Amino acid sequence: MKTLNLGILAHVDAGKTSLTERLLHCAGVIDEPGSVDAGNTRTDTLALERQRGITIRSAVVSFAVAGTTVNLIDTPGHPDFIAEVERVLGVLDGAVLVVSAVEGVQAQTRLLARTLHRLGIPTLFFVNKVDRAGADPDRVLRQLADRLTPHVVALGRVDAAGTPAARWIPHPPGDPGHQARLVDLLSAHDDALLAAYVADERTATPDRLREALVAQTARARVHPVLAGSAVTGAGVDELIDAVTALLPATAGDDHAPLSGTVFKVERGAAGEKVAYARIFAGTLRVRDRIRHGGGRESRVTALAVFDGGDATPGDAAGAGAGRIVRLHGLADVRVGDVLGVPPERPAGRRHFAPPTLETVVEPVRPADRPALHAALTQLAEQDPLINLRQDDRRQEIAVSLYGEVQKEVIEATLADDYGVPVTFRETTTVCVERVVGVGAAVEWIGRDPNPFLGTVGLRVEPGPVGGGVEFRLGIELGSMPLAFLKAIEETVRETLGQGLHGWAVIDCVVTLTHGGYWARQSHSHGVFDKSMSSTAGDFRHLTPLVLMTALSRAGTRVHEPVHRFRLDLPADVVGTVLPVLAGLGAAPRSSTLRGTSYLIEGEVPAGRVHALEQRLPGLTRGEGALEAEFDHHRPVRGPVPSRPRWDHDPLHRKEYLLAVARRVTGRPAR
C-alpha cells in the first residue's frame, strides 16, 4: 500500500481541525466527527487545546482510501505556534491549505502559501465554510489568484453559497469553460501540450488535460481549488478523491539504509520521551540500535505505526519507507534529529523567522525555582525555539516567544501539568549583534596568564547578511588533532550565543589563526600525566577568552528585528491611524486607495506589533486588518538594550578564567 503524508494548514479559525474530523469520518475512521467547541476532536488531545479551542501541538492521524494510507498531520493555525508547523514541513509529501470562504486570505494564509511554494510541496486549496452567512467562494478564488499564486484552477463550483444547503458541484468532464481554463493554465508549463493544442484543439482531451493536471500538481506548478464545509460535509468526499488522485504518494526503498527525521518529541505517561519520526528510506524495527542526532545511539524499545486512525504497535515487519512512527527508547532524542543516514531533505532547516520576543519567567513560590527549570527544560525539548536561557548570577530564567498567546499557554501548562505557578516580566524584543570591524587575539601555551595547555588565536570579521556564523581554518589542517579543532569550533559557536551586549552574534566569520598543544606525556613509569598533556577541555575553556577579546577589539552593534506590515483600513480613518503608526515607530512605505479602503504597507519594530494589534480595533471600528511578519534586522535607534553575561565582562574575565582552571583542570594559576 502506498503512503501519503499530508499536512493540513491554515490561518487560525479557518476550520482545519474540523476538516480533519470530517475527513476521518468520511474515511470511516470515526463514527461521528468531533467538535472544536465541544472539545472532543481526535487531534486536539491536550486539555489546554480543548479549553481554548485552538491547536497548540501538531498531531497525526491516519486513514486508508483507494489503496493509499494517508497520514494526516493537523498543525496549529495561530502564528504564535508557527514553530510546530516548521517542524512538520520537512516530512510532508503534500498539503491542503484551508481558507475560510468568509474571511478569505489572511495573514497566516499568505505566510504558509509562500513557504509551501518555496519548498515545492504539492498543495491543494480547500475553501471551507461555504455554508456560513457571508461566504463568497468566488471572491476567495480571486484572492487566491491575486494574493497567493496565479496558478490556481477551481475543479468545480459552489451552489447556494452562504446557506446551510451549500454544496460543491464538480465540473463535468468536457465542460467547455473548465476545459479552456485548464488549457490556459497547464499549457503555460507544458510546451508539448501548447504546441499540440495550437496545431489541433481536439488534442486537448479531458484525459490528456487530467494527466497534465496530475503531473503539474505533483510538481507544485499548479494548485487545484476545491470548496465545501467541514461542518456539513459538503465537498469533503471530493477533496479526499483529489488528495489521493493529485498528490504524490511516497516512493521509498524499504531495503536501503535507515534514513529518517524526528519532527516531534513529547513525554509519555511515565515521563519518558516519545519521538515522532518520518522514515524516508529503510526499515525500522523494535530492538534495533540506531544512531541519531549526529552520534548518539539508542535502542528502540517500542514502535507504533500510524494506521487506521491512531498509532498501532508495529509488528515484526517494522516500519518501512514513507511511514510515520512513534518511537520509545530514545532517551536523548531531540526535535530535528536524523535517524541513521541524513535524508535528502535536510533536517532542522529554518523555514520561518525565529522568535523575536523574550520574557523572564519567575516562580510564584521561590522554592519552585528548581522545579521551574526542570519543567521548562522539558517544554524546550518539545519546542526548541523556546530557547531556554538561564542567568545564574541574577537567578533568572528567560524564554523566547512568538507572541502573547504563547506566553499564556506556557503559563497555563506550567501550572496545570507541572504544578508550578509562575509570573512573567514584561515581554522584551530579542535583538542580535553584528560585528562592525576586524579584531584578533591570541593566548599562547605556557605564557602567563594562560593557565590552559593550548594555544588559540582567533580573528573575527563581518560576514554577509544571512550568512550565519562561518568558522575557517587559518592554520594547516594536520597541525592539530581533529578533536581539538572540533572543540574550538563548537565552543566558538556556543560563545557567540551571547556577544558584548549579551545578544547572539550573527553573520560573522571567525578564523583560527594560531593553534598549538602539548602532546600526550607520561611519567617514566608509563602513567599518563594530564597536567603535562593538552586535552579538548583546554581548548573549550580557553576559546571563549580569546574569542571575546577579539570580539571586543572588532566591536559589535546591536540590531533590532523589524516586521513588514500590510494594513487594510477604511479610508475615513487614515488620518487617525497614521499618527499612531508614527508613535509606535512604524514607517509607512506606500499607501493605495482601493475603493472605500486604504492599503498601507511599511515597517514596524517587532516589539511594537502587539501594541498596534491591540489599538487597531478601536481606531478602525473593528474593520482594520493587519498582517505582519519578520523582515530584517536594523541598527537600534536610541539607547542600546543590553543583556549582560558576567563571565564575558572584561572586569571579571581573568578571575573567571583562573577559577575555571583551578576547578576543572586542577592546575594552579601561573
Side-chain angles (χ1 to χ4, degrees), residues 506-522:
I506 65 172
D507 301 340
C508 65
V509 177
V510 180
T511 304
L512 179 64
T513 58
H514 299 79
Y517 68 101
W518 284 350
R520 184 183 181 93
Q521 300 182 44
S522 304

Side-chain angles (χ1 to χ4, degrees), residues 17-18 37 56 155 185 231 236 275 284 329 406 409 419 422 432 441 458 485 489 498 521 569 640 659-661:
T17 299
S18 297
D37 294 335
I56 297 172
L155 301 186
L185 179 66
V231 172
V236 177
L284 186 61
Q406 186 184 12
V409 167
V422 299
V432 298
L458 296 170
L485 295 176
E489 179 177 359
Q498 289 185 302
Q521 300 182 44
L569 69 165
V640 176
V660 169

Side-chain angles (χ1 to χ4, degrees), residues 456 458 471 473 480-495 512 535-544 547:
V456 174
L458 296 170
F471 181 79
L473 289 181
M480 290 181 67
L482 189 60
F484 295 171
L485 295 176
K486 184 177 180 181
I488 294 172
E489 179 177 359
E490 290 177 349
T491 306
V492 163
R493 297 185 184 280
E494 292 170 2
T495 303
L512 179 64
T535 67
D538 287 297
F539 294 96
R540 292 189 186 280
H541 294 299
L542 179 59
T543 297
L547 179 58

Side-chain angles (χ1 to χ4, degrees), residues 40-62:
N40 61 354
T41 59
R42 188 70 172 266
T43 54
D44 286 345
T45 57
L46 298 178
L48 199 56
E49 290 178 316
R50 293 178 171 179
Q51 292 170 9
R52 290 177 169 264
I54 61 173
T55 300
I56 297 172
R57 295 281 182 260
S58 59
V60 184
V61 292
S62 70

Side-chain angles (χ1 to χ4, degrees), residues 167-227:
R167 60 194 182 108
W168 172 252
I169 303 176
H171 292 307
D175 176 84
H178 181 52
Q179 293 282 100
R181 288 188 291 272
L182 282 177
V183 169
D184 287 343
L185 179 66
L186 299 174
S187 62
H189 307 285
D190 188 336
D191 291 341
L193 176 63
L194 177 60
Y197 179 76
V198 171
D200 185 353
E201 295 184 4
R202 292 173 296 179
T203 59
T205 63
D207 288 343
R208 180 164 185 179
L209 292 177
R210 178 71 174 183
E211 181 182 340
L213 179 64
V214 171
Q216 294 191 27
T217 301
R219 295 198 299 269
R221 299 284 183 83
V222 302
H223 306 284
V225 181
L226 299 94

